[in-house]
Amino acid sequence: MGNKRPNLLLFVSDHFRSEAVHHLGNEASVTPNIDALIDDDAVSFSNAFCQNPVCVPSRCSFLSGNYPHVNGFRTMHHLMSAQDDNLLKELKKNGYHVYFGGKNDVFKEEVDLSLYCDDRSDAYSELGCIAQGVPIKKGYRSILQGVTQQMAIEAANAKEASRHTQDGKNYYSFYQGIVDDTNPFAIGFMGAEDAQIKDAIHYLENYEGDAPLCMYLSLTLPHPFYACTKEDDAVIDQEKLSPMVTLTPSQAALKPSIMKGMRENYQLYHWSKEELLAIKKTYLAMVHHVDENFGKVIEAFRQKQVYDATAIFLFSDHGDYAGDYGIAEINQNTFEDVLTKVPLVIKPPKSMEVKPGIRTALVELTDIPQTISEIAMMPLSYPQFGRSLCSQFTTIKEHRRYVHCEGGRREDETHCMDGGHPKDHLYWPRTSEQMKMPQHTKAVMIRSHKYKYVKRLYELDEFYDLTLDPLELNNQIQEEQYQKIITEMKEELLKFMIETCDQVPYHRDER
């Protein structure tokens, strides 16, 4: 690893909302390893936003620097092909050795692994293969030696059993709570997560190549099931938890119709306030586990004596409702901050100056590829819309006037529903609503520091005064006092869509 270009660690969580980090103001959260990095070596962006609030579209966006609408990566089942430009391919082409550990949610299954990584493993997928008694995916390296089919099946059965009966209030909640089980794979996704972290550390310890290393850790926690160990639960102070976000009937009437349907389907209205807070407490316990694993990986880089020569990125693809608004998990076409605002922490290599601390500038995950391009002295070979964040390392200044997020579909886009789950499926409460209109209407968010406007194609638009209403309870779209601001934001949204509607490749074809 003796090279001029810095090593890269991309520590990517799933369902990790910005509000869940202690140094960003959550007194109940316990994230000492992330917080320590901000104290000493890194910047934390308190206003970082994803570009779609579900996995695949968000990941295709932050790995390319393009918005989901540019190339049609707007659903869970439209993924990148061998021809699509992305950061991992760029790193490979420029001499990086790429370790890809964890979930996919980016590339089509048929894409040659060698195009975007040198080593591929996925504990989450492998656990499923072990349970089914089938081989792991071609080209993947096994990392769950010693895990038996019985262990994998018992883990899956334990999670299914936590749902209780179909007519009960737990059935769609994703809630396991504290799990006291000797089988670590029975505790939500924790067992597979820990195995992936252990493999990454072992891989780093034994890597002796000359090429700079990019470690892309595509992790899952705090993705529900909401499940934790008693040790992680014990560090979260129940008394410090913020109240659950709830809507009055009049407030709910002006919110998107899909939220009403999901609330009815999840049935969290049967839960008491104390029971709902248990979801939030478990979610924060899972975040604490993420922080512990992050600390282990950081320490491994220090022990390898390559910490100073490594740029570190910690972020998430999107957030999670975690019971707020009466909803579990996520949604694909609503844009509350709990879904769209994510942690983004960047530690540059020691060769770059940094003034550690929190940055309040509005930034997007689309900014990540261009930032890495500058850090790695590696111009991207394709056009994209991200803007480098490197100037933020030493200066507190604005970056974007607005950030954007998008989701949903046109009425004729039945192939974009991502629905079809049977009623006994854990995802039925959301995906059944995605098969309806106007519930799954196409929608686009534009957000400034003070205001959020959402254009909804087939139903009432949304507008929130974030200074007076940071929890986005009151849709003010019809209020006369805001009409001038709404008109301005509509114009800005039109400008954004025109500017970003497509990309022309750098390569010119012969004619």
Side-chain angles (χ1 to χ4, degrees):
M1 300 171 74
N3 52 76
K4 292 184 179 180
R5 280 186 172 152
N7 305 302
L8 299 169
L9 168 63
L10 278 65
F11 191 100
V12 186
S13 291
D14 196 347
H15 286 245
F16 191 170
R17 66 197 215 186
S18 177
E19 173 270 343
V21 182
H22 182 78
H23 73 260
L24 294 180
N26 191 326
E27 289 300 316
S29 177
V30 182
T31 53
N33 293 296
I34 300 173
D35 300 339
L37 206 65
I38 311 310
D39 291 338
D40 300 329
D41 299 316
V43 294
S44 174
F45 293 91
S46 61
N47 286 300
F49 289 81
C50 65
Q51 277 51 76
N52 188 290
V54 298
C55 298
V56 171
S58 178
R59 290 165 186 262
C60 289
S61 178
F62 71 62
L63 278 177
S64 67
N66 284 312
Y67 295 99
H69 64 263
V70 176
N71 293 307
F73 300 124
R74 294 170 32 223
T75 82
M76 289 294 289
H77 297 283
H78 293 87
L79 294 91
M80 286 189 171
S81 69
Q83 289 71 45
D84 291 306
D85 296 310
N86 61 79
L87 177 63
L88 297 182
K89 280 176 62 178
E90 293 288 295
L91 291 167
K92 275 275 293 178
K93 287 192 297 185
N94 282 272
Y96 271 85
H97 181 95
V98 179
Y99 168 99
F100 188 150
K103 65 186 293 184
N104 178 21
D105 279 358
V106 178
F107 298 103
K108 296 178 181 180
E109 286 294 317
E110 63 266 26
V111 175
D112 186 348
L113 296 176
S114 66
L115 287 175
Y116 60 87
C117 69
D118 297 278
D119 186 89
R120 186 72 177 94
S121 59
D122 182 350
Y124 316 99
S125 172
E126 184 175 350
L127 186 65
C129 291
I130 293 171
Q132 296 170 47
V134 299
I136 64 173
K137 295 176 182 178
K138 183 180 179 181
Y140 283 52
R141 178 171 53 82
S142 174
I143 64 172
L144 294 183
Q145 293 83 6
V147 179
T148 66
Q149 185 177 32
Q150 182 179 352
M151 287 176 62
I153 291 173
E154 287 177 351
N157 289 342
K159 284 179 269 195
E160 182 63 26
S162 71
R163 301 175 67 191
H164 304 299
T165 60
Q166 190 165 349
D167 59 353
K169 65 182 182 180
N170 271 60
Y171 197 67
Y172 297 116
S173 69
F174 287 84
Y175 182 70
Q176 278 188 281
I178 300 172
V179 181
D180 188 10
D181 197 310
T182 56
N183 183 347
F185 300 101
I187 310 170
F189 292 105
M190 191 194 77
E193 183 107 338
D194 290 351
Q196 194 68 62
I197 292 292
K198 182 179 179 181
D199 180 75
I201 292 172
H202 182 263
Y203 195 89
L204 174 63
E205 290 172 343
N206 290 277
Y207 180 68
E208 299 296 341
D210 292 328
L213 175 66
C214 171
M215 183 162 280
Y216 179 65
L217 269 172
S218 180
L219 303 167
T220 296
L221 292 183
H223 189 303
F225 287 79
Y226 302 112
C228 67
T229 64
K230 59 184 178 181
E231 291 80 11
D232 285 320
D233 176 80
V235 304
I236 307 299
D237 187 343
Q238 178 90 16
E239 299 302 315
K240 293 181 179 180
L241 294 173
S242 59
M244 302 302 293
V245 179
T246 57
L247 299 168
T248 66
S250 61
Q251 290 168 339
L254 295 177
K255 297 288 276 186
S257 57
I258 196 169
M259 295 181 73
K260 177 183 177 182
M262 288 195 301
R263 271 195 299 274
E264 292 174 353
N265 292 342
Y266 280 120
Q267 302 181 51
L268 295 184
Y269 51 80
H270 289 308
W271 291 48
S272 67
K273 289 182 179 179
E274 291 74 20
E275 288 172 325
L276 287 171
L277 281 174
I279 294 178
K280 181 170 285 191
K281 186 182 183 190
T282 301
Y283 177 77
L284 292 181
M286 294 162 69
V287 169
H288 174 258
H289 199 84
V290 172
D291 180 81
E292 280 201 331
N293 278 337
F294 180 65
K296 291 175 183 177
V297 176
I298 294 300
E299 181 58 25
F301 273 84
R302 288 194 170 103
Q303 290 297 319
K304 186 74 173 179
Q305 298 185 347
V306 293
Y307 174 82
D308 288 345
T310 300
I312 297 170
F313 289 71
L314 177 144
F315 59 99
S316 180
D317 54 358
H318 53 75
D320 191 282
Y321 277 120
D324 281 331
Y325 304 92
I327 299 173
E329 211 233 350
I330 55 174
N331 181 41
Q332 205 257 340
N333 71 337
T334 52
F335 310 103
E336 290 79 18
D337 278 6
V338 294
L339 291 186
T340 59
K341 196 178 191 181
V342 296
L344 175 58
V345 173
I346 305 176
K347 182 205 82 72
K350 196 169 185 178
S351 59
M352 299 181 73
E353 184 183 357
V354 61
K355 294 181 179 178
I358 297 172
R359 303 292 188 268
T360 59
L362 290 167
V363 306
E364 295 181 342
L365 295 190
T366 55
D367 296 327
I368 289 172
Q370 191 61 41
T371 304
I372 290 176
S373 170
E374 184 172 344
I375 290 174
M377 301 167 285
M378 178 194 77
L380 298 175
S381 67
Y382 64 93
Q384 47 83 54
F385 293 107
R387 306 173 188 175
S388 174
L389 295 167
C390 290
S391 64
Q392 296 281 335
F393 297 164
T394 56
T395 308
I396 297 176
K397 61 179 182 178
E398 289 304 311
H399 184 69
R400 292 178 177 269
R401 188 180 176 194
Y402 300 103
V403 290
H404 310 85
C405 194
E406 60 188 90
R409 60 182 174 91
R410 297 192 313 269
E411 189 168 11
D412 61 297
E413 291 181 310
T414 55
H415 59 295
C416 298
M417 290 190 297
D418 285 340
H421 292 106
K423 195 170 183 179
D424 62 352
H425 197 282
L426 193 57
Y427 288 104
W428 176 86
R430 170 167 58 90
T431 61
S432 62
E433 294 299 307
Q434 291 175 189
M435 300 177 73
K436 304 173 185 177
M437 281 294 175
Q439 286 87 333
H440 201 214
T441 178
K442 198 171 187 181
V444 185
M445 176 199 88
I446 180 170
R447 187 197 193 280
S448 67
H449 281 291
K450 293 183 178 180
Y451 305 108
K452 178 182 290 187
Y453 169 71
V454 179
K455 175 63 182 176
R456 305 190 71 80
L457 196 56
Y458 302 130
E459 61 181 348
L460 186 69
D461 292 346
E462 299 172 79
F463 179 83
Y464 302 98
D465 184 330
L466 300 172
T467 304
L468 300 178
D469 181 24
L471 298 180
E472 303 166 69
L473 301 175
N474 300 294
N475 183 3
Q476 305 280 8
I477 193 66
Q478 298 170 327
E479 294 300 314
E480 182 63 31
Q481 70 192 80
Y482 291 112
Q483 294 311 304
K484 181 179 178 182
I485 299 168
I486 291 170
T487 299
E488 291 174 357
M489 295 188 82
K490 284 183 176 181
E491 287 293 321
E492 289 292 338
L493 183 57
L494 175 62
K495 179 182 176 184
F496 164 74
M497 294 304 293
I498 292 173
E499 287 180 339
T500 67
C501 64
D502 64 359
Q503 287 282 22
V504 178
Y506 288 150
H507 173 76
R508 293 181 61 176
D509 299 317
E510 295 298 324
R511 58 186 291 269

